[in-house]
Amino acid sequence: MQSILVRMDSFASTRTTYCAADGVSLAVDVWRASGQPTLLFAHGFGQTRGAWNTAAATMAAQGYRCVSFDSRGHGESDRVPGGDYHMQQFVDDLLELARAQPEPPILVGASMGGLLGLVIAGETRPAPFRAMVLVDITPRWETAGVERILAFMQAHPDGFASYAEAAEQIAAYLPQRRERKSEQQLRPLLREGADGRLRWHWDPALLAGDLISESERYQPRLLAAAGQVDVPVLLLSGERSDVVSHRTVDEFMALVPHARHVQVPGASHMLAGDANDAFTAQIAGFIGGLQFSDAPVGAI
């Protein structure tokens, strides 16, 4: 398997793949071959590992080893044959990747990635994460915010005629962003079909099957798992989030009383993209307060 060197924000990453237990290949970026601790970044539903590029490069430049990946059915990772997606597959992928690291990593999980981490941290002993950063997600969420995300994902099944058209739709969806995405930024997020139309990177089967309804049914399991989490936790929420609210944060803090909560001013649910400097500063401060021992560096 050939690795590709990628340069982002003056810091190089290595692009490689990881084969899950069921044969699905996951696209992986490793920022810095050595360094401690390892940060494992898990993106949200409909995103790619590219959502972490700036944060991972920044943290790698500070000496941390960073790993990001595309979830199955997203970005450059394989799609599930037949489109038969289930939440447990995503849980298993994240657990496998965590265990493949040379040491228990710190999970940085946004939205879906954070929920998967909660299930794993609450149900697995010993916990495969030494700490967790949850990015604008709690075990119970505001349905209206999730419905807005799904509506955007389902809005253009026939794709776009140009990158400019796609950029216009993103700008309408994220009005708080001052700059529109360039064609270069959009290329990893869109695939050109045989008809010449540009469609989003995710497998349409993710939206057509039972996966969405499964996530709602996971809430009791998530709430139970949260109550069993015993590793350090930082919850970052966006001041303008419509997915996380004071109500859901208060419930989470009652379940995980040792957690720390920080609300990032001006940020929406897309916290890392809205306020990346504040986001990475909070992560760096959180990690700086933890104690780590030396450990050997592995291959992934």
Side-chain angles (χ1 to χ4, degrees), residues 23-77:
V24 169
S25 180
L26 304 177
V28 179
D29 281 346
V30 180
W31 305 82
R32 183 181 283 274
S34 62
Q36 286 194 341
T38 295
L39 276 60
L40 177 59
F41 292 86
H43 64 72
F45 189 66
Q47 293 186 308
T48 71
R49 68 191 191 280
W52 303 116
N53 281 349
T54 302
T58 300
M59 297 305 293
Q62 295 181 30
Y64 302 111
R65 181 173 174 273
C66 298
V67 179
S68 61
F69 69 101
D70 287 342
S71 292
R72 59 178 59 209
H74 294 71
E76 295 180 307
S77 288

Side-chain angles (χ1 to χ4, degrees), residues 45-194:
F45 189 66
Q47 293 186 308
T48 71
R49 68 191 191 280
W52 303 116
N53 281 349
T54 302
T58 300
M59 297 305 293
Q62 295 181 30
Y64 302 111
R65 181 173 174 273
C66 298
V67 179
S68 61
F69 69 101
D70 287 342
S71 292
R72 59 178 59 209
H74 294 71
E76 295 180 307
S77 288
D78 284 351
R79 298 181 175 188
V80 173
D84 188 22
Y85 291 94
H86 297 282
M87 287 297 296
Q88 191 59 45
Q89 297 168 346
F90 295 86
V91 172
D92 292 343
D93 288 345
L94 181 56
L95 179 56
E96 284 185 45
L97 278 167
R99 286 175 167 168
Q101 304 312 312
E103 57 183 354
I106 295 174
L107 177 71
V108 182
S111 200
M112 178 184 74
L115 295 178
L116 301 174
L118 273 176
V119 169
I120 293 168
E123 296 180 352
T124 309
R125 292 294 180 272
F129 312 123
R130 61 175 62 190
M132 299 174 63
V133 179
L134 302 179
V135 186
D136 207 69
I137 196 62
T138 47
R140 202 191 309 274
W141 51 84
E142 298 297 342
T143 301
V146 173
E147 288 178 345
R148 185 180 68 88
I149 295 170
L150 295 176
F152 172 77
M153 294 179 67
Q154 296 167 333
H156 302 280
D158 295 327
F160 308 99
S162 66
Y163 288 103
E165 183 182 347
E168 183 178 348
Q169 294 302 318
I170 293 176
Y173 176 64
L174 301 172
Q176 71 275 14
R177 303 279 177 89
R178 288 178 291 181
E179 296 183 2
R180 291 197 176 192
K181 286 189 176 293
S182 65
E183 179 176 331
Q184 181 180 2
Q185 291 171 316
L186 285 171
R187 282 189 178 277
L189 303 179
L190 294 161
R191 292 184 175 187
E192 184 174 350

